[in-house]
PDB file of all heavy atoms in Angstrom:
ATOM      1  N   ILE A  95      -7.263  44.687  -1.919  1.00  0.00           N
ATOM      2  CA  ILE A  95      -7.234  43.930  -0.660  1.00  0.00           C
ATOM      3  C   ILE A  95      -7.530  42.451  -0.872  1.00  0.00           C
ATOM      4  O   ILE A  95      -6.947  41.587  -0.226  1.00  0.00           O
ATOM      5  CB  ILE A  95      -8.205  44.536   0.377  1.00  0.00           C
ATOM      6  CG1 ILE A  95      -8.059  43.796   1.709  1.00  0.00           C
ATOM      7  CG2 ILE A  95      -9.634  44.517  -0.113  1.00  0.00           C
ATOM      8  CD1 ILE A  95      -8.825  44.417   2.840  1.00  0.00           C
ATOM      9  N   LEU A 159     -12.581  38.884  17.970  1.00  0.00           N
ATOM     10  CA  LEU A 159     -13.597  38.905  16.914  1.00  0.00           C
ATOM     11  C   LEU A 159     -14.969  38.512  17.460  1.00  0.00           C
ATOM     12  O   LEU A 159     -15.990  39.077  17.058  1.00  0.00           O
ATOM     13  CB  LEU A 159     -13.190  37.957  15.785  1.00  0.00           C
ATOM     14  CG  LEU A 159     -12.024  38.438  14.916  1.00  0.00           C
ATOM     15  CD1 LEU A 159     -11.479  37.299  14.054  1.00  0.00           C
ATOM     16  CD2 LEU A 159     -12.453  39.609  14.029  1.00  0.00           C
ATOM     17  N   GLN A 162     -16.393  41.393  19.258  1.00  0.00           N
ATOM     18  CA  GLN A 162     -16.838  42.415  18.305  1.00  0.00           C
ATOM     19  C   GLN A 162     -18.038  41.945  17.476  1.00  0.00           C
ATOM     20  O   GLN A 162     -18.585  42.732  16.699  1.00  0.00           O
ATOM     21  CB  GLN A 162     -15.694  42.763  17.347  1.00  0.00           C
ATOM     22  CG  GLN A 162     -14.474  43.374  18.014  1.00  0.00           C
ATOM     23  CD  GLN A 162     -13.262  43.404  17.090  1.00  0.00           C
ATOM     24  OE1 GLN A 162     -13.397  43.314  15.861  1.00  0.00           O
ATOM     25  NE2 GLN A 162     -12.061  43.515  17.660  1.00  0.00           N
ATOM     26  N   ASN A 181      -7.241  20.307  24.736  1.00  0.00           N
ATOM     27  CA  ASN A 181      -7.902  19.531  25.799  1.00  0.00           C
ATOM     28  C   ASN A 181      -8.558  20.428  26.851  1.00  0.00           C
ATOM     29  O   ASN A 181      -8.667  20.041  28.015  1.00  0.00           O
ATOM     30  CB  ASN A 181      -6.921  18.565  26.472  1.00  0.00           C
ATOM     31  CG  ASN A 181      -6.389  17.517  25.512  1.00  0.00           C
ATOM     32  OD1 ASN A 181      -7.072  17.123  24.565  1.00  0.00           O
ATOM     33  ND2 ASN A 181      -5.173  17.056  25.732  1.00  0.00           N
ATOM     34  N   GLN A 184     -14.059  22.109  29.013  1.00  0.00           N
ATOM     35  CA  GLN A 184     -15.159  22.968  29.469  1.00  0.00           C
ATOM     36  C   GLN A 184     -15.263  24.209  28.584  1.00  0.00           C
ATOM     37  O   GLN A 184     -16.366  24.651  28.241  1.00  0.00           O
ATOM     38  CB  GLN A 184     -14.954  23.383  30.933  1.00  0.00           C
ATOM     39  CG  GLN A 184     -16.139  24.157  31.512  1.00  0.00           C
ATOM     40  CD  GLN A 184     -17.454  23.397  31.420  1.00  0.00           C
ATOM     41  OE1 GLN A 184     -17.563  22.269  31.914  1.00  0.00           O
ATOM     42  NE2 GLN A 184     -18.463  24.000  30.784  1.00  0.00           N
ATOM     43  N   LEU A 193     -21.988  28.513  19.702  1.00  0.00           N
ATOM     44  CA  LEU A 193     -22.022  28.291  18.255  1.00  0.00           C
ATOM     45  C   LEU A 193     -23.336  27.641  17.832  1.00  0.00           C
ATOM     46  O   LEU A 193     -23.935  28.026  16.817  1.00  0.00           O
ATOM     47  CB  LEU A 193     -20.838  27.405  17.842  1.00  0.00           C
ATOM     48  CG  LEU A 193     -20.726  27.028  16.366  1.00  0.00           C
ATOM     49  CD1 LEU A 193     -20.641  28.279  15.484  1.00  0.00           C
ATOM     50  CD2 LEU A 193     -19.509  26.126  16.135  1.00  0.00           C
ATOM     51  N   ALA A 206     -21.379  16.162  24.185  1.00  0.00           N
ATOM     52  CA  ALA A 206     -21.364  14.899  24.921  1.00  0.00           C
ATOM     53  C   ALA A 206     -19.952  14.306  24.966  1.00  0.00           C
ATOM     54  O   ALA A 206     -19.504  13.824  26.012  1.00  0.00           O
ATOM     55  CB  ALA A 206     -22.333  13.910  24.276  1.00  0.00           C
ATOM     56  N   ASN A 219      -7.612  11.014  37.542  1.00  0.00           N
ATOM     57  CA  ASN A 219      -7.226  11.610  38.833  1.00  0.00           C
ATOM     58  C   ASN A 219      -7.895  10.908  40.012  1.00  0.00           C
ATOM     59  O   ASN A 219      -7.795  11.381  41.152  1.00  0.00           O
ATOM     60  CB  ASN A 219      -7.571  13.102  38.842  1.00  0.00           C
ATOM     61  CG  ASN A 219      -6.772  13.889  37.819  1.00  0.00           C
ATOM     62  OD1 ASN A 219      -5.621  13.555  37.527  1.00  0.00           O
ATOM     63  ND2 ASN A 219      -7.374  14.921  37.252  1.00  0.00           N
ATOM     64  N   ASP A 236     -26.598  13.823  24.902  1.00  0.00           N
ATOM     65  CA  ASP A 236     -26.823  13.033  23.685  1.00  0.00           C
ATOM     66  C   ASP A 236     -27.183  11.600  24.082  1.00  0.00           C
ATOM     67  O   ASP A 236     -26.308  10.732  24.183  1.00  0.00           O
ATOM     68  CB  ASP A 236     -25.566  13.045  22.807  1.00  0.00           C
ATOM     69  CG  ASP A 236     -25.771  12.293  21.496  1.00  0.00           C
ATOM     70  OD1 ASP A 236     -26.934  12.004  21.165  1.00  0.00           O
ATOM     71  OD2 ASP A 236     -24.772  12.005  20.813  1.00  0.00           O
ATOM     72  N   ASP A 253     -14.969  -1.357  39.546  1.00  0.00           N
ATOM     73  CA  ASP A 253     -15.244  -1.179  40.975  1.00  0.00           C
ATOM     74  C   ASP A 253     -15.979  -2.382  41.566  1.00  0.00           C
ATOM     75  O   ASP A 253     -16.324  -2.375  42.752  1.00  0.00           O
ATOM     76  CB  ASP A 253     -16.081   0.088  41.182  1.00  0.00           C
ATOM     77  CG  ASP A 253     -16.149   0.517  42.642  1.00  0.00           C
ATOM     78  OD1 ASP A 253     -15.091   0.529  43.304  1.00  0.00           O
ATOM     79  OD2 ASP A 253     -17.268   0.810  43.127  1.00  0.00           O
ATOM     80  N   GLN A 257     -23.703  -5.431  38.572  1.00  0.00           N
ATOM     81  CA  GLN A 257     -25.082  -5.193  38.160  1.00  0.00           C
ATOM     82  C   GLN A 257     -25.212  -3.840  37.454  1.00  0.00           C
ATOM     83  O   GLN A 257     -25.848  -3.733  36.401  1.00  0.00           O
ATOM     84  CB  GLN A 257     -26.007  -5.224  39.383  1.00  0.00           C
ATOM     85  CG  GLN A 257     -27.486  -5.040  39.056  1.00  0.00           C
ATOM     86  CD  GLN A 257     -28.045  -6.200  38.253  1.00  0.00           C
ATOM     87  OE1 GLN A 257     -27.987  -7.354  38.669  1.00  0.00           O
ATOM     88  NE2 GLN A 257     -28.582  -5.916  37.074  1.00  0.00           N
ATOM     89  N   VAL A 298     -28.973 -12.805  22.702  1.00  0.00           N
ATOM     90  CA  VAL A 298     -28.107 -13.869  22.216  1.00  0.00           C
ATOM     91  C   VAL A 298     -28.859 -14.773  21.242  1.00  0.00           C
ATOM     92  O   VAL A 298     -28.334 -15.158  20.184  1.00  0.00           O
ATOM     93  CB  VAL A 298     -27.540 -14.694  23.389  1.00  0.00           C
ATOM     94  CG1 VAL A 298     -26.875 -15.974  22.881  1.00  0.00           C
ATOM     95  CG2 VAL A 298     -26.532 -13.870  24.172  1.00  0.00           C
ATOM     96  N   LEU A 314     -20.244 -14.955  21.475  1.00  0.00           N
ATOM     97  CA  LEU A 314     -21.437 -15.779  21.682  1.00  0.00           C
ATOM     98  C   LEU A 314     -21.057 -17.228  21.965  1.00  0.00           C
ATOM     99  O   LEU A 314     -21.684 -17.898  22.799  1.00  0.00           O
ATOM    100  CB  LEU A 314     -22.338 -15.701  20.455  1.00  0.00           C
ATOM    101  CG  LEU A 314     -22.934 -14.307  20.165  1.00  0.00           C
ATOM    102  CD1 LEU A 314     -23.733 -14.329  18.869  1.00  0.00           C
ATOM    103  CD2 LEU A 314     -23.812 -13.849  21.319  1.00  0.00           C
ATOM    104  N   PHE A 319     -20.564 -21.551  25.998  1.00  0.00           N
ATOM    105  CA  PHE A 319     -19.678 -22.436  26.777  1.00  0.00           C
ATOM    106  C   PHE A 319     -19.922 -22.247  28.275  1.00  0.00           C
ATOM    107  O   PHE A 319     -20.001 -23.215  29.035  1.00  0.00           O
ATOM    108  CB  PHE A 319     -18.225 -22.142  26.431  1.00  0.00           C
ATOM    109  CG  PHE A 319     -17.236 -22.906  27.253  1.00  0.00           C
ATOM    110  CD1 PHE A 319     -16.940 -24.236  26.960  1.00  0.00           C
ATOM    111  CD2 PHE A 319     -16.590 -22.307  28.328  1.00  0.00           C
ATOM    112  CE1 PHE A 319     -16.023 -24.948  27.726  1.00  0.00           C
ATOM    113  CE2 PHE A 319     -15.676 -23.008  29.086  1.00  0.00           C
ATOM    114  CZ  PHE A 319     -15.394 -24.329  28.790  1.00  0.00           C
ATOM    115  N   TYR A 330     -21.724 -24.949  18.084  1.00  0.00           N
ATOM    116  CA  TYR A 330     -22.133 -23.650  17.520  1.00  0.00           C
ATOM    117  C   TYR A 330     -21.025 -23.064  16.666  1.00  0.00           C
ATOM    118  O   TYR A 330     -21.255 -22.640  15.521  1.00  0.00           O
ATOM    119  CB  TYR A 330     -22.506 -22.686  18.651  1.00  0.00           C
ATOM    120  CG  TYR A 330     -22.626 -21.245  18.213  1.00  0.00           C
ATOM    121  CD1 TYR A 330     -23.716 -20.805  17.462  1.00  0.00           C
ATOM    122  CD2 TYR A 330     -21.630 -20.316  18.526  1.00  0.00           C
ATOM    123  CE1 TYR A 330     -23.822 -19.491  17.048  1.00  0.00           C
ATOM    124  CE2 TYR A 330     -21.727 -19.000  18.113  1.00  0.00           C
ATOM    125  CZ  TYR A 330     -22.814 -18.588  17.381  1.00  0.00           C
ATOM    126  OH  TYR A 330     -22.913 -17.281  16.962  1.00  0.00           O
ATOM    127  N   GLU A 333     -20.374 -24.856  13.366  1.00  0.00           N
ATOM    128  CA  GLU A 333     -21.380 -24.522  12.363  1.00  0.00           C
ATOM    129  C   GLU A 333     -21.107 -23.149  11.767  1.00  0.00           C
ATOM    130  O   GLU A 333     -21.237 -22.946  10.551  1.00  0.00           O
ATOM    131  CB  GLU A 333     -22.767 -24.565  13.002  1.00  0.00           C
ATOM    132  CG  GLU A 333     -23.916 -24.350  12.031  1.00  0.00           C
ATOM    133  CD  GLU A 333     -24.004 -25.431  10.964  1.00  0.00           C
ATOM    134  OE1 GLU A 333     -23.579 -26.589  11.231  1.00  0.00           O
ATOM    135  OE2 GLU A 333     -24.484 -25.132   9.852  1.00  0.00           O
ATOM    136  N   GLN A 361       0.918 -27.384  21.418  1.00  0.00           N
ATOM    137  CA  GLN A 361       0.667 -26.867  20.078  1.00  0.00           C
ATOM    138  C   GLN A 361      -0.509 -25.884  20.054  1.00  0.00           C
ATOM    139  O   GLN A 361      -0.510 -24.913  19.297  1.00  0.00           O
ATOM    140  CB  GLN A 361       0.388 -28.029  19.107  1.00  0.00           C
ATOM    141  CG  GLN A 361       1.594 -28.895  18.808  1.00  0.00           C
ATOM    142  CD  GLN A 361       1.747 -30.019  19.834  1.00  0.00           C
ATOM    143  OE1 GLN A 361       1.150 -29.972  20.906  1.00  0.00           O
ATOM    144  NE2 GLN A 361       2.574 -31.004  19.490  1.00  0.00           N
ATOM    145  N   ILE A 366      -2.837 -20.442  19.346  1.00  0.00           N
ATOM    146  CA  ILE A 366      -3.605 -19.324  19.935  1.00  0.00           C
ATOM    147  C   ILE A 366      -2.767 -18.056  19.941  1.00  0.00           C
ATOM    148  O   ILE A 366      -3.236 -16.977  19.572  1.00  0.00           O
ATOM    149  CB  ILE A 366      -4.063 -19.681  21.364  1.00  0.00           C
ATOM    150  CG1 ILE A 366      -5.133 -20.778  21.319  1.00  0.00           C
ATOM    151  CG2 ILE A 366      -4.616 -18.437  22.070  1.00  0.00           C
ATOM    152  CD1 ILE A 366      -5.484 -21.344  22.679  1.00  0.00           C
ATOM    153  N   GLN A 380     -12.706   1.679  11.422  1.00  0.00           N
ATOM    154  CA  GLN A 380     -12.605   2.509  10.222  1.00  0.00           C
ATOM    155  C   GLN A 380     -13.497   3.735  10.360  1.00  0.00           C
ATOM    156  O   GLN A 380     -14.617   3.650  10.874  1.00  0.00           O
ATOM    157  CB  GLN A 380     -13.009   1.716   8.982  1.00  0.00           C
ATOM    158  CG  GLN A 380     -12.765   2.477   7.676  1.00  0.00           C
ATOM    159  CD  GLN A 380     -13.003   1.598   6.473  1.00  0.00           C
ATOM    160  OE1 GLN A 380     -13.840   0.705   6.504  1.00  0.00           O
ATOM    161  NE2 GLN A 380     -12.271   1.846   5.398  1.00  0.00           N
ATOM    162  N   CYS A 384     -13.748   9.524   6.367  1.00  0.00           N
ATOM    163  CA  CYS A 384     -12.552   9.649   5.513  1.00  0.00           C
ATOM    164  C   CYS A 384     -11.885   8.319   5.204  1.00  0.00           C
ATOM    165  O   CYS A 384     -10.931   8.274   4.431  1.00  0.00           O
ATOM    166  CB  CYS A 384     -11.538  10.591   6.164  1.00  0.00           C
ATOM    167  SG  CYS A 384     -10.766   9.936   7.667  1.00  0.00           S
ATOM    168  N   GLN A 394     -12.586  10.383  18.295  1.00  0.00           N
ATOM    169  CA  GLN A 394     -12.423  11.470  17.320  1.00  0.00           C
ATOM    170  C   GLN A 394     -11.393  11.023  16.298  1.00  0.00           C
ATOM    171  O   GLN A 394     -10.279  10.656  16.655  1.00  0.00           O
ATOM    172  CB  GLN A 394     -11.979  12.768  17.991  1.00  0.00           C
ATOM    173  CG  GLN A 394     -11.969  13.963  17.031  1.00  0.00           C
ATOM    174  CD  GLN A 394     -11.550  15.259  17.717  1.00  0.00           C
ATOM    175  OE1 GLN A 394     -10.720  15.256  18.611  1.00  0.00           O
ATOM    176  NE2 GLN A 394     -12.125  16.364  17.291  1.00  0.00           N
ATOM    177  N   HIS A 413     -12.270 -10.777   9.094  1.00  0.00           N
ATOM    178  CA  HIS A 413     -11.054 -11.572   8.857  1.00  0.00           C
ATOM    179  C   HIS A 413     -11.075 -12.820   9.736  1.00  0.00           C
ATOM    180  O   HIS A 413     -11.547 -12.765  10.856  1.00  0.00           O
ATOM    181  CB  HIS A 413      -9.804 -10.749   9.196  1.00  0.00           C
ATOM    182  CG  HIS A 413      -9.519  -9.700   8.169  1.00  0.00           C
ATOM    183  ND1 HIS A 413      -9.205  -9.984   6.867  1.00  0.00           N
ATOM    184  CD2 HIS A 413      -9.511  -8.350   8.280  1.00  0.00           C
ATOM    185  CE1 HIS A 413      -8.992  -8.861   6.199  1.00  0.00           C
ATOM    186  NE2 HIS A 413      -9.179  -7.851   7.026  1.00  0.00           N
TER     187      HIS A 413
END
Side-chain angles (χ1 to χ4, degrees):
I95 185 172
L159 288 166
Q162 297 167 20
N181 297 330
Q184 186 57 56
L193 178 58
N219 295 328
D236 183 14
D253 193 46
Q257 182 66 57
V298 168
L314 295 176
F319 175 80
Y330 166 74
E333 185 63 28
Q361 290 87 344
I366 291 171
Q380 187 172 32
C384 69
Q394 187 179 34
H413 286 296

